Every structure is written in structure tokens, then in C-alpha cells.
């Protein structure tokens, strides 16, 4: 597994590549969400590579080792989808299986909706289709209370680091690797760049959503997710024109980290079907 850089769409994107220059392997694109980076997919990269895939896991612009971005509009979904397609173009990859978690799932939905020829099969972890999310009722709106604070410039930047990132460590919302997240987000400008994903996309997606997707799609939801309801994932079938499959697991929000073997198994089942 190598970490490489690619200049595309005006930014330097850093990405993990399990098989550089191996054009014979079918490609898989793994997309992380907030507040993670490409390393969250390490277990799945190993499993998919062993099964014969070339696995690409980019750091989203502003995150990880990709170029720091400063403006809210830099983090718009259209820009990130363009980054992903530009990465595939630079590597001469016509299409890939795509899986995303959290905001990475939103970007995966967006890529499948806006660039259908680039996505062979789709896996969305935790976050359903944006239209299913916005129509998921009052319980989902109540669970998204934290996002309101994230939308206020400067507020989350002051609150999240308090008490050695207590909110990221606390109770049933706790992140499995809080120290790694703290180290990433403590670098100048990185927390704001990460939060700009919310500020650039949440209002727009709430108003306009996304078109339906054509790809065969697997939606994976964990019953202990403090931020999301099962309904917003289950109802995503209404916005999938390909075959739809729903899997529900126990456990919390960060499934790729807390249940790596099961997530790897589900990805392999779906991509090889």
C-alpha cells in the first residue's frame, strides 16, 4: 500500500493505493467522512486487495494529507466529486466500485447520481440517500442537533477541542480512535476545513437533494448509531434504480473501524456479486 499525490481540479489530493500501476485489477474507491481520513479504511484495503482489487482511498480535500482548503465553497459536493473523477482520470481508470461512510457516503451518492458511468456498484455506510435523509421525520432531525452547531462559523472550532476533545470521546458517540483524530484536526486550519463540508453541503442538500442513482446499491446501517436513524437508510431504496440491498448491524457509527471484518465481508459480497 502506497501513499501518492495527484494534482486534480486545482488541488493536491493525497491517496492510498493498494496496487499502483496494476491496471488488471478492478478498482475500488473508498471515501471517508468527518472527522476521519483515508487510514480509517486500512482493514478494508487489506481485505479487498487480497481478493484481487486495486483499492484507492483518498483524503478528501482539506482532510488528512490532501491540500488544505480555506473557503466554504471549496468543500461543495460538486468540487469533491470532480476531485474523485479527476483522480480516476489521472490513473486511467474508467469506472470503480465506490463505498463511502458518513460524509463519504454522501459523496458516493453524489458521484453515482452525477457521474453514473464512473460508478459500477455502490455501498453507503451509515448515511442514506440525501432525499431519504431529509424525509426521515422528526427523529432524524433531532439526532442531527450537533450539525446545527457545526454550521455556525467558529463555534465548533471552539467547542470540539475542549477537554482533550471530550465530545469525541464521550459515551455512545465516542470515536474508536480519538487520539488520531485529535492529532489530525489540531493542525492549523484543518478543523475548519473539515467542518466546511457541513457548511457547504448541508443547506444545499436539505433544499435540493440529489437525483436517483442507477448503480446496484448496498446500504449498511448500525443500530447503535447516535446520529442517524434506520429509516433514512431503509427508505433509500426509493432513490435507487438498480438493485437495492439493506444490511443492519449492531454497534455504533464508525463501522469500518469497530467492525472491520464484517464490513470487509459485505463489501466483497457486493462488489463480486
Amino acid at each position: 500500500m502506497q501513499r501518492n499525490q495527484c494534482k486534480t481540479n486545482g488541488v493536491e489530493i493525497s491517496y492510498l493505493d493498494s496496487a499502483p500501476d496494476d491496471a488488471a485489477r478492478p478498482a475500488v474507491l473508498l471515501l471517508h467522512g468527518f472527522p476521519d481520513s483515508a487510514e480509517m479504511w486500512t482493514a478494508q484495503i487489506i481485505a479487498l486487495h487480497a481478493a484481487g482489487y486495486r483499492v484507492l482511498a483518498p483524503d478528501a480535500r482539506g482532510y488528512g494529507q490532501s491540500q488544505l482548503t480555506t473557503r466554504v465553497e471549496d468543500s461543495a459536493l460538486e468540487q469533491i466529486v470532480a476531485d474523485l473523477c479527476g483522480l480516476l482520470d489521472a490513473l486511467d481508470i474508467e469506472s470503480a466500485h465506490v463505498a463511502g461512510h458518513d460524509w463519504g457516503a454522501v459523496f458516493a451518492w453524489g458521484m453515482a447520481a452525477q457521474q453514473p458511468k464512473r460508478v459500477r456498484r455502490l455501498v453507503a455506510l451509515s448515511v442514506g440517500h440525501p432525499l431519504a435523509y431529509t424525509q426521515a421525520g422528526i427523529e432524524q432531525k433531532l439526532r442531527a442537533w450537533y450539525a446545527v452547531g457545526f454550521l455556525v462559523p467558529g463555534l465548533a472550532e471552539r467547542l470540539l477541542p475542549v477537554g482533550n476533545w471530550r465530545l469525541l470521546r464521550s459515551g455512545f458517540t465516542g470515536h474508536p480512535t480519538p487520539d488520531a483524530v485529535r492529532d489530525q484536526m489540531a493542525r492549523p486550519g484543518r478543523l475548519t476545513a473539515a467542518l466546511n463540508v457541513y457548511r457547504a453541503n448541508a443547506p444545499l442538500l436539505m433544499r435540493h437533494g440529489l437525483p436517483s442513482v442507477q448503480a446496484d446499491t448496498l446500504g449498511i446501517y448500525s443500530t447503535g448509531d447516535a446520529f442517524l436513524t434506520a429509516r433514512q437508510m431503509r427508505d433509500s431504496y426509493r432513490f435507487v434504480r438498480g438493485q437495492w440491498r439493506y444490511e443492519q448491524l449492531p454497534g455504533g457509527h464508525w463501522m469500518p473501524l469497530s467492525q472491520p471484518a464484517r464490513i470487509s465481508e459485505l463489501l466483497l459480497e457486493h462488489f463480486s456479486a
Side-chain angles (χ1 to χ4, degrees):
M1 184 164 58
Q2 292 185 12
R3 181 170 280 280
N4 295 321
Q5 299 287 129
C6 175
K7 182 67 174 288
T8 180
N9 194 30
V11 295
E12 288 280 350
I13 297 298
S14 180
Y15 65 98
L16 299 175
D17 190 339
S18 79
D21 302 319
D22 191 342
R25 289 171 173 256
V28 174
L29 191 61
L30 300 178
L31 310 179
H32 69 84
F34 178 90
D36 297 296
S37 62
E39 277 79 9
M40 77 168 296
W41 294 108
T42 298
Q44 289 76 39
I45 294 171
I46 293 170
L48 289 164
H49 178 84
Y53 293 94
R54 179 183 182 182
V55 190
L56 306 169
D59 289 334
R61 52 166 56 199
Y63 285 76
Q65 298 183 39
S66 287
Q67 182 177 328
L68 179 66
T69 51
T70 56
R71 302 176 303 170
V72 170
E73 57 266 32
D74 291 334
S75 298
L77 182 143
E78 288 76 13
Q79 294 288 357
I80 293 177
V81 169
D83 294 345
L84 300 173
C85 291
L87 174 61
L88 295 183
D89 289 340
L91 299 176
D92 293 321
I93 297 172
E94 183 176 345
S95 63
H97 300 301
V98 180
H101 173 257
D102 190 80
W103 273 102
V106 179
F107 300 138
W109 286 111
M111 187 175 179
Q114 297 176 352
Q115 299 289 337
K117 293 183 179 180
R118 308 307 297 262
V119 178
R120 299 175 66 182
R121 285 176 174 260
L122 173 66
V123 179
L125 291 89
S126 301
V127 181
H129 189 280
L131 283 174
Y133 180 95
T134 60
Q135 297 170 17
I138 188 62
E139 183 184 358
Q140 180 55 63
K141 291 178 173 60
L142 291 173
R143 290 200 190 191
W145 62 269
Y146 66 94
V148 177
F150 285 5
L151 297 178
V152 180
L155 179 61
E157 286 89 335
R158 291 193 297 272
L159 293 179
L160 285 175
V162 168
N164 192 23
W165 294 76
R166 185 185 302 115
L167 291 175
L168 202 63
R169 301 172 186 274
S170 61
F172 66 107
T173 64
H175 193 286
T177 59
D179 291 336
V181 172
R182 177 201 60 200
D183 293 345
Q184 290 279 355
M185 294 298 169
R187 295 176 298 153
R190 290 290 172 170
L191 179 54
T192 295
L195 289 164
N196 280 345
V197 167
Y198 286 86
R199 295 163 184 167
N201 297 295
L204 183 64
L205 290 172
M206 291 293 285
R207 289 196 301 269
H208 301 297
L210 281 172
S212 296
V213 303
Q214 306 301 316
D216 292 347
T217 302
L218 168 63
I220 308 175
Y221 175 76
S222 49
T223 57
D225 197 314
F227 313 110
L228 298 151
T229 65
R231 177 180 172 183
Q232 55 84 37
M233 181 62 81
R234 283 199 312 266
D235 287 358
S236 295
Y237 78 90
R238 297 189 289 120
F239 308 102
V240 175
R241 297 293 170 259
Q243 292 185 351
W244 166 255
R245 176 185 172 191
Y246 173 72
E247 286 285 340
Q248 186 166 287
L249 307 181
H253 177 69
W254 281 279
M255 292 179 281
L257 291 166
S258 60
Q259 302 185 67
R262 181 57 178 148
I263 295 304
S264 297
E265 180 182 25
L266 288 169
L267 294 179
L268 285 167
E269 286 178 4
H270 187 61
F271 294 153
S272 63

